[in-house]
Amino acid sequence: MTANPVAVAADVGSTFTKVVAVDLATGALVGAAAHPTTVDTDVLHGLDAAIADLGVAPSRVDVCSSAGGGLRLAVVGNEELVTVAAGQRVALSAGARVVHATAGPLDRTAVATLAANRPDVVLLVGGTDGGDEEVLRHNAAALAKAKSLRVPIVVAGNIDVRADALTLLGPRAVGAENVLPRIGELNPDPARAVIRDVFLRHVIGGKHLSRGRRFASLVRGPTPDIVLTAVTRLATVVGGDVLVVDVGGATTDVYSAIEPPDGSPRSDDVSGTAWHGRTVEGDLGVRASAPGIVDAARRERLLDGAEVGPLLAAAQRRAAEPAMTAVDEKDREVDIRLAELAAMVAVRRHARGRDLRRVRLVVGSGGVLRHVPEAGERVLRRVLNDHAGGWAPPESARIVVDSLYLLAPAGLLAEAYPDVSVTLLTALVADAHRI
């Protein structure tokens, strides 16, 4: 065991808490462990048990979390295809699950529908800087009067209305730079930072995941936000564009870090392009959302008629038993097939509107890809050979499976220990190979 100081990086998920120990002097991985997340009692019980299994005395512990449903966020904006779309992209990059989006002036019915979706945070956007003021001001007033919705509100719209909106909303509101200062120019980072801060100060404690303040003091951000930080840094390590496909039990998340072809942040898309972005497909998960995979794959013409029935029956069984573990070859084969289809559909949705031809590295993640030896390469091969999906696959990419679960730790340590973060990502890249 190393005599150097050791950091523990932990991802407290809805099902499992995964921890790794990292030597802070060398960046070497010291150990890894996992424990079921104890969300029904106190998430610290599972976290402490996983750390105990590592057999180390950490000098620091950094945590990211998606337990308790993660960060639930609603977007309120002016136009569905402009500021609302921009707000949704920013919310996803901030690690949020967008549970509701609405466009135009809020009335009582719209506010009631918004409240019924139980967001943890509302992202209030609208108008480019110097543009329309009326809708943003109206919506701020409507939210200020909404007694059924007393959650933090991030105001990130027209700069000329920001001060008035914050005054109307009072102390529960916080301002950020406009997510869409000009048509076609997405500005995600300031709002993303504010959303992370709101998550840490209000959401973690509000979910009652743990008694006391210790857990909240350890959490650095929502897991997807932390992973996107790692993906962005990974693009620098690789020296080019990166694509990450994370096939989970409830969702399939796709991350990409790409540079604009001309080096400009401007986009032909009126709501802007998230060059470092994430999409979440809530109908594509190999357990709770497994039937959605079959339905989506059928609509994308990835399944023939003979396969639909048996695969749907297997998917429904998994949805009914989310904790199910594949114990034989037949179950493992079904899991791999579902992961293949989920990854293909999710990447198609993510890639349409993005140019991924210059991607140099494709990373696979998720339980099936990590735990079934042949699954990762098979799934990623199918993604990269999807020439009929309405997008242009990478022209020359290597693939790797994050089997040691390094992305989340690299993101957690990126700010305090940037060199260690790079070492972890370099180790991930070292296992990559061409197909």
Side-chain angles (χ1 to χ4, degrees):
M1 187 64 64
T2 176
N4 297 323
V6 171
V8 166
D11 172 11
V12 178
S14 295
T15 306
F16 283 95
T17 294
K18 301 166 286 288
V19 298
V20 299
V22 181
D23 187 317
L24 290 177
T26 65
L29 191 67
V30 176
H35 190 278
T37 298
T38 48
V39 71
D40 292 335
T41 55
D42 188 315
V43 292
L44 280 174
H45 298 161
L47 175 62
D48 290 340
I51 293 174
D53 288 343
L54 289 172
V56 300
S59 59
R60 63 181 291 146
V61 177
D62 297 280
V63 176
C64 56
S65 175
S66 58
L71 171 59
R72 297 170 57 87
L73 189 144
V75 180
V76 176
N78 285 22
E79 313 89 354
E80 183 176 357
L81 297 179
V82 186
T83 53
V84 171
Q88 287 178 299
R89 292 173 185 178
V90 171
L92 291 171
S93 75
R97 175 186 173 195
V98 179
V99 296
H100 184 72
T102 186
L106 292 169
D107 56 21
R108 289 184 180 179
T109 300
V111 171
T113 303
L114 171 60
N117 282 284
R118 299 180 295 105
D120 298 314
V121 180
V122 173
L123 176 61
L124 179 59
V125 297
T128 55
D129 287 343
D132 180 86
E133 299 182 9
E134 182 178 347
V135 177
L136 178 58
R137 188 173 280 110
H138 170 91
N139 286 343
L143 291 172
K145 298 175 184 176
K147 295 181 180 179
S148 60
L149 190 72
R150 311 308 295 176
V151 299
I153 298 175
V154 176
V155 181
N158 186 343
I159 190 174
D160 295 334
V161 190
R162 187 185 308 150
D164 289 348
L166 292 174
T167 299
L168 284 166
L169 292 164
R172 65 190 172 119
V174 59
E177 291 181 17
N178 196 345
V179 300
L180 194 73
R182 286 166 289 279
I183 291 294
E185 184 175 331
L186 192 66
N187 180 36
D189 290 343
R192 179 185 171 196
V194 171
I195 292 169
R196 181 190 287 193
D197 183 61
V198 169
F199 175 80
L200 296 176
R201 288 190 292 113
H202 297 283
V203 178
I204 286 292
K207 286 187 178 292
H208 306 295
L209 299 172
S210 178
R211 293 182 292 275
R213 298 181 179 180
R214 180 174 155 232
F215 181 67
S217 72
L218 299 176
V219 176
R220 309 296 174 237
T223 300
D225 182 25
I226 297 300
V227 171
L228 183 58
T229 297
V231 172
T232 302
R233 177 113 357 148
L234 180 61
T236 302
V237 172
V238 171
D241 295 354
V242 171
L243 177 68
V244 175
V245 187
D246 184 2
V247 182
T251 70
T252 294
D253 294 4
V254 182
Y255 304 79
S256 60
I258 59 177
E259 290 300 318
D262 60 358
S264 166
R266 297 301 298 270
S267 168
D268 293 334
D269 186 338
V270 293
S271 59
T273 297
W275 301 111
H276 294 178
R278 162 183 172 251
T279 51
V280 179
E281 308 304 337
D283 59 334
L284 306 176
V286 295
R287 287 295 181 268
S289 307
I293 297 175
V294 179
D295 182 59
R298 180 184 54 78
R299 285 186 279 108
E300 290 278 349
R301 299 182 179 179
L302 293 170
L303 289 172
D304 59 39
E307 189 180 5
V308 171
L311 190 61
L312 180 59
Q316 289 170 336
R317 177 189 166 203
R318 284 157 173 75
E321 304 176 45
M324 169 190 168
T325 301
V327 296
D328 56 30
E329 189 60 32
K330 182 179 178 181
D331 279 342
R332 283 191 288 271
E333 182 60 30
V334 170
D335 279 352
I336 296 173
R337 181 60 172 151
L338 288 171
E340 277 184 346
L341 296 170
M344 292 177 70
V345 174
V347 172
R348 284 183 176 188
R349 294 175 181 175
H350 180 92
R352 291 166 182 161
R354 289 179 172 87
D355 185 357
L356 301 182
R357 289 175 295 177
R358 295 175 300 138
V359 164
R360 292 190 180 185
L361 182 68
V362 180
V363 182
S365 186
V368 174
L369 276 65
R370 287 198 303 272
H371 301 313
V372 182
E374 69 273 22
E377 183 171 339
R378 178 170 149 184
V379 168
L380 297 180
R381 281 180 181 274
R382 289 299 300 271
V383 168
L384 292 182
N385 288 305
D386 183 24
H387 296 285
W391 66 290
E395 296 170 349
S396 179
R398 294 181 295 161
I399 63 171
V400 68
V401 175
D402 186 16
S403 57
L404 296 178
Y405 206 73
L406 298 177
L407 281 173
L412 281 168
L413 295 172
E415 182 176 352
Y417 292 91
D419 292 342
V420 171
S421 176
V422 168
T423 299
L424 292 172
L425 294 172
T426 302
L428 175 64
V429 174
D431 290 333
H433 63 277
R434 295 194 181 277
I435 63 169

